[in-house]
């Protein structure tokens, strides 16, 4: 295990709405985790469970309501001007590559923009752009094009290239492959793995796709309604999920083995509103194993042994 | 290893789109042609006028149009055509100055208000609300009246009144542009607010500002002529269309050409700018284009 790269403690993000009677959407409600150097830590969960918000708060693109975020021991929530310099070391790959590239800028300008912003251009823009293109397997004839003249996969590669331009040590990958078809998805994930092997950065990998996460991450956190329900090594979680939600999530993964399909756990109902989360355990209205205590007492995230954390009263 | 970029790709696709869109609109082309010839007229005025626009010929008063004086002479014997040509200079100068000042200051204030938000936004936009509560020309009249007659004061008055619309529109564009993915991406790579505002956010507001500036030229020229007609703007003997209308007013019955031609000049100029502005709006509005495609 390498040194600690990112440490997040009790992160909360509430979005307020309404003028007269304020109501709060508890997008993220007390989340803690650590990422080590060269490690991929994944967040999995349904749409709207707060995965992306955790990623954005970690980079302080969204201001957290409370909590602490440390990058190599530096409290990034306490920084002001220094934060802009620190951003060189922490980057993000956006899900929506299309929207994150300015349609008025050429690929060349987009690739060297991070260097320009930090005053590191020094006339080596073209060389740098060509180096980046080669790293992400794009051809140099794209440099004069605009983003809308590229395919989705090419745009996502440009997004990845922009993220690694400044040699970051930590990258948040917010569903980097979700908008791409399967073969391009695989290329993108291979590319990210290769770059990680080459430069040794830590990834916070956000995805709703359990299979991708299994492929990419060493450790996983399963999120439900703004909270972690289970955190642990990928292998341990896939071999023996302790939380009923994780079990349901994993059983929903399509499999090629027909006999395994019968064990699917189908959850009833919808994901509840994060404005009024259920009392006690947030999962209890949909949990197949819910008991009386679940609606009253909120289970804490507890270590069941060797770093495998579970938030369930009945986890063994 | 610099790759050659084809010539057409060197021009931003944005400008090409605008030109293509504009070509389809006949009125806009007519408007553009008139505007271009007005500009040429203003620049070349000393070389194309048949007579001196200021020199008096009291023996040649109120002549009807003839070969020597194509549009006739006024009550002091001055060639009306020459005065109209020189009047183009005054009108375009006022238009460019006022639109330049209002578009730039209004855009910057709107950008600041929209991007920073909070108390700064409130202060700027409440000032805008107050100014917009008055009819524009009346307020300009009051300000020009307080400052005293003179072309400079008219420009000042029109500028004070005119920037508000730019501020409003730009602020709106900024508010929507702020939520775009590439603005967040720019923050993620560590860009300064200043850089994001001018490199990523302001260009999103460019099209409406261009359209409003063009339409604003028409409005400004008309308002300046109106104030000059009331005696607040250009002072004699400066050849200005509004003041020409005013001095010709007394001879409406005996020599109608004294007000017909300056009136026509104002009308044609304002119409030309409006046609061009409407054409630009259609060419720059992405929603309009979608409707055509469907």
């Amino acid at each position: 295990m390498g040194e600690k790269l990112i440490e997040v403690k009790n992160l909360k993000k509430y979005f307020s709405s309404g003028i007269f009677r304020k109501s709060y959407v508890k997008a993220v409600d007390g989340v803690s985790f650590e990422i080590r150097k060269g490690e991929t830590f994944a967040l999995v969960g349904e749409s709207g469970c707060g995965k992306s918000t955790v990623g954005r708060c970690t980079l302080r693109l969204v201001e957290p309501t409370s909590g602490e975020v440390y990058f190599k021991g530096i409290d990034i929530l306490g920084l002001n001007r220094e934060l802009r310099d620190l951003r060189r070391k922490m980057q993000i790959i956006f899900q929506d590559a299309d929207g994150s590239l300015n349609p008025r800028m050429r690929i060349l300008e987009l690739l060297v923009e991070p260097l320009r912003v930090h005053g590191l251009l020094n006339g080596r823009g073209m060389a740098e752009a060509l180096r980046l293109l080669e790293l992400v397997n794009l051809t140099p004839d794209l440099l004069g094009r605009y983003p809308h003249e590229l395919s989705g996969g090419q745009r996502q590669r440009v997004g990845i290239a922009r993220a690694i331009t400044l040699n970051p040590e930590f990258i948040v990958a917010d569903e980097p492959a979700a908008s791409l078809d399967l073969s391009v998805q695989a290329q993108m994930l291979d590319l990210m793995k290769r770059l990680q092997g080459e430069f040794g950065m830590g990834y916070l990998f956000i995805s709703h796709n359990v299979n991708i996460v299994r492929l990419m991450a060493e450790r996983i956190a399963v999120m439900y309604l703004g909270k972690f329900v289970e955190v642990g090594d990928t292998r341990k979680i896939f071999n023996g999920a302790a939380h009923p939600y994780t079990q349901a999530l994993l059983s929903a993964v399509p499999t090629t083995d027909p006999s395994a399909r019968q064990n699917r756990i189908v959850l009833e109902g919808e994901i509840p509103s994060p404005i009024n989360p259920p009392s006690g355990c947030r999962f209890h209205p949909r949990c197949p194993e819910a008991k009386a205590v679940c609606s009253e007492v909120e289970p804490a995230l507890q270590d069941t042994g060797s770093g495998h954390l579970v938030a369930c009263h009945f986890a063994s | 290893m610099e790759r050659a970029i084809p010539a057409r790709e060197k021009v931003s696709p944005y400008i090409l789109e605008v030109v293509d869109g504009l070509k389809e609109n006949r009125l806009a082309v007519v408007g553009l042609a008139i505007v271009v010839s007005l500009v040429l007229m203003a620049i070349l005025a000393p070389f194309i006028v048949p007579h001196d626009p200021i020199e008096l010929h009291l023996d040649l008063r109120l002549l009807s149009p003839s070969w020597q004086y194509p549009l006739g002479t006024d009550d002091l014997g001055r060639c009306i055509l020459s005065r109209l040509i020189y009047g183009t200079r005054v009108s375009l100068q006022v238009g460019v100055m006022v639109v330049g000042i209002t578009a730039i200051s209004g855009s910057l204030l709107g950008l600041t208000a929209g991007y920073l938000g909070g108390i700064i936004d409130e202060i700027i936009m409440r000032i805008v609300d107050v100014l917009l509560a008055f009819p524009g020309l009346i307020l300009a009249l009051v300000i020009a009246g307080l400052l005293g007659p003179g072309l400079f004061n008219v420009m000042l008055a029109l500028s004070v009144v005119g920037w508000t619309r730019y501020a409003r529109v730009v602020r709106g564009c900024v508010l929507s542009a702020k939520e775009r993915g590439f603005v967040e991406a720019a923050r993620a790579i560590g860009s300064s607010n200043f850089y994001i505002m001018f490199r990523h956010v302001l260009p999103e507001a460019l099209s409406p500002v261009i359209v409003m500036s063009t339409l604003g030229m028409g409005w400004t020229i008309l308002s300046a002529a109106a104030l000059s007609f009331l005696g607040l703007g250009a002072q004699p003997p400066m050849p200005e269309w509004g003041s020409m209308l005013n001095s010709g007013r007394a001879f409406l019955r005996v020599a109608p050409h004294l007000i017909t031609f300056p009136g026509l000049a104002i009308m044609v100029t304002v119409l030309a700018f409006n046609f061009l502005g409407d054409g630009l709006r259609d060419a720059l509005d992405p929603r309009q284009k979608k409707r055509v495609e469907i």
Side-chain angles (χ1 to χ4, degrees):
Chain A
M1 279 273 178
E3 61 175 297
K4 220 184 266 177
L5 192 62
I6 287 282
E7 188 174 8
V8 173
K9 282 185 191 164
N10 203 17
L11 184 76
K12 289 183 184 175
K13 177 64 192 176
Y14 298 166
F15 292 103
S16 64
S17 61
I19 298 169
F20 299 112
R21 287 176 64 200
K22 287 247 184 210
S23 58
Y24 292 96
V25 176
K26 297 179 177 175
V28 179
D29 202 5
V31 153
S32 308
F33 60 91
E34 287 173 21
I35 301 175
R36 291 172 185 283
K37 220 171 181 175
E39 180 191 42
T40 302
F41 180 73
L43 294 179
V44 228
E46 292 171 75
S47 306
C49 71
K51 313 183 290 282
S52 291
T53 309
V54 172
R56 284 176 159 76
C57 285
T58 311
L59 294 182
R60 210 176 160 198
L61 287 173
V62 170
E63 206 65 36
T65 308
S66 72
E68 292 161 65
V69 180
Y70 295 96
F71 173 79
K72 290 173 120 181
I74 307 165
D75 175 15
I76 69 161
L77 299 182
L79 298 179
N80 285 317
R81 290 204 163 270
E82 302 90 335
L83 181 65
R84 274 185 52 210
D85 289 330
L86 202 63
R87 287 202 188 284
R88 283 163 57 178
K89 300 283 162 216
M90 336 169 37
Q91 285 294 315
I92 180 166
I93 299 169
F94 289 96
Q95 171 181 10
D96 173 23
D98 196 11
S100 65
L101 303 176
N102 190 333
R104 290 171 208 274
M105 289 165 81
R106 284 174 211 282
I107 303 306
L108 173 62
E109 298 167 76
L110 287 166
L111 287 176
V112 300
E113 193 187 19
L115 292 171
R116 171 173 299 147
V117 161
H118 289 282
L120 301 169
L121 207 49
N122 302 330
R124 60 191 179 97
M126 186 51 94
E128 193 63 18
L130 290 171
R131 183 186 75 91
L132 288 166
L133 281 182
E134 205 182 320
L135 272 179
V136 298
N137 292 332
L138 289 174
T139 48
D141 59 299
L142 299 178
L143 284 180
R145 305 244 190 114
Y146 287 92
H148 69 92
E149 297 171 317
L150 268 55
S151 72
Q154 289 173 324
R155 278 198 288 260
Q156 191 58 269
R157 281 163 200 268
V158 172
I160 293 176
R162 268 167 65 91
I164 59 171
T165 307
L166 296 164
N167 299 322
E169 293 173 47
F170 171 62
I171 292 185
V172 173
D174 188 0
E175 308 233 15
S179 58
L180 306 169
D181 61 64
L182 269 181
S183 64
V184 185
Q185 244 182 38
Q187 291 171 18
M188 234 34 75
L189 300 176
D190 279 348
L191 174 64
M192 286 185 59
K193 280 221 137 181
R194 205 189 79 213
L195 293 171
Q196 188 176 36
E198 222 164 297
F199 300 111
M201 50 259 206
Y203 282 141
L204 174 60
F205 194 92
I206 300 168
S207 180
H208 62 264
N209 188 326
V210 176
N211 280 331
I212 290 183
V213 161
R214 184 178 201 167
L215 192 74
M216 294 294 290
E218 281 98 50
R219 286 195 306 128
I220 296 182
V222 180
M223 254 187 113
Y224 185 79
L225 270 183
K227 286 201 166 220
F228 286 175
V229 294
E230 188 161 359
V231 185
D233 289 351
T234 307
R235 211 171 307 149
K236 271 185 201 153
I237 288 189
F238 275 89
N239 288 338
H243 196 281
Y245 179 68
T246 316
Q247 289 163 2
L249 199 67
L250 296 185
S251 81
V253 175
T255 165
T256 47
D257 178 8
S259 59
R261 284 181 200 165
Q262 287 157 17
N263 305 329
R264 183 169 290 183
I265 307 165
V266 180
L267 294 179
E268 300 288 323
E270 296 282 316
I271 188 166
S273 156
I275 298 176
N276 288 310
S279 60
C281 174
R282 294 182 174 205
F283 186 54
H284 84 262
R286 298 171 79 193
C287 183
E289 288 157 40
K291 305 259 170 13
V293 61
C294 294
S295 62
E296 285 154 20
V297 184
E298 189 164 357
L301 203 57
Q302 276 170 337
D303 199 335
T304 60
S306 61
H308 188 161
L309 308 175
V310 184
C312 181
H313 294 302
F314 306 106
S316 47
Chain B
M1 188 166 113
E2 182 129 16
R3 296 279 170 137
I5 297 167
R8 192 179 158 88
E9 281 181 25
K10 275 192 176 160
V11 187
S12 132
Y14 178 75
I15 293 170
L16 284 176
E17 248 172 58
V18 172
V19 172
D20 284 348
L22 211 56
K23 268 193 286 192
E24 285 165 24
N25 188 334
R26 228 174 266 166
L27 277 180
V29 173
V30 171
L32 184 62
I34 296 177
V35 169
V36 169
S37 44
L38 283 171
V39 171
L40 287 178
M41 227 196 275
I43 295 169
L44 302 173
F47 307 105
I48 57 174
V49 289
H51 303 278
D52 188 296
I54 290 168
E55 201 183 340
L56 309 182
H57 296 282
L58 292 177
D59 48 331
L60 299 172
R61 299 174 62 213
L62 302 174
L63 290 183
S64 296
S66 62
W67 282 114
Q68 206 194 345
Y69 292 97
L71 300 181
T73 57
D74 66 4
D75 54 322
L76 298 171
R78 295 173 297 196
C79 171
I80 290 181
L81 179 61
S82 307
R83 289 180 64 75
L84 283 186
I85 292 173
Y86 268 95
T88 317
R89 279 191 161 182
V90 179
S91 287
L92 289 188
Q93 256 171 23
V94 172
V96 168
M97 290 284 290
V98 171
V99 168
I101 293 169
T102 53
I104 292 171
S105 59
S107 298
L108 290 181
L109 285 165
L111 179 65
T112 315
Y115 191 82
L116 296 180
I119 187 80
I120 295 167
D121 184 26
E122 283 295 319
I123 292 171
I124 294 176
M125 294 325 287
R126 292 300 80 78
I127 295 172
V128 167
D129 286 344
V130 169
L131 284 174
L132 279 174
F134 297 99
L137 192 57
I138 308 278
L139 187 58
L141 188 68
V142 172
I143 298 170
L146 287 173
L147 294 171
L151 207 54
F152 179 79
N153 289 344
V154 163
M155 289 197 261
L156 205 63
L158 291 175
S159 300
V160 170
V161 175
W163 64 273
T164 51
R165 295 175 314 139
Y166 296 94
R168 260 206 175 168
V169 169
V170 169
R171 174 179 174 269
C173 291
V174 169
L175 287 183
S176 74
K178 232 168 53 165
E179 304 302 319
R180 300 280 298 269
F182 56 79
V183 172
E184 191 183 21
R187 275 211 300 136
I189 60 169
S191 316
S192 64
N193 278 333
F194 189 79
Y195 176 85
I196 296 175
M197 275 165 84
F198 285 91
R199 187 76 178 89
H200 291 286
V201 174
L202 193 58
E204 293 295 299
L206 202 62
S207 330
V209 168
I210 290 173
V211 173
M212 284 174 53
S213 305
T214 316
L215 294 171
M217 281 291 287
W219 179 82
T220 307
I221 290 173
L222 190 63
S223 308
L227 293 177
S228 291
F229 178 78
L230 296 172
L232 287 168
Q235 298 302 306
M238 186 190 268
E240 205 278 342
W241 298 342
S243 56
M244 284 169 77
L245 275 179
N246 187 27
S247 59
R249 194 168 42 104
F251 308 96
L252 185 60
R253 281 160 191 278
V254 285
H257 62 271
L258 253 59
I259 61 161
T260 311
F261 295 118
L264 276 176
I266 295 172
M267 193 189 86
V268 168
T269 307
V270 174
L271 265 184
F273 276 111
N274 283 352
F275 286 156
L276 181 60
D278 282 343
L280 278 175
R281 178 170 54 206
D282 293 349
L284 293 169
D285 187 0
R287 266 167 301 170
Q288 202 94 17
K289 233 172 284 162
K290 263 182 211 136
R291 208 190 303 152
V292 177
E293 276 167 7
I294 292 163

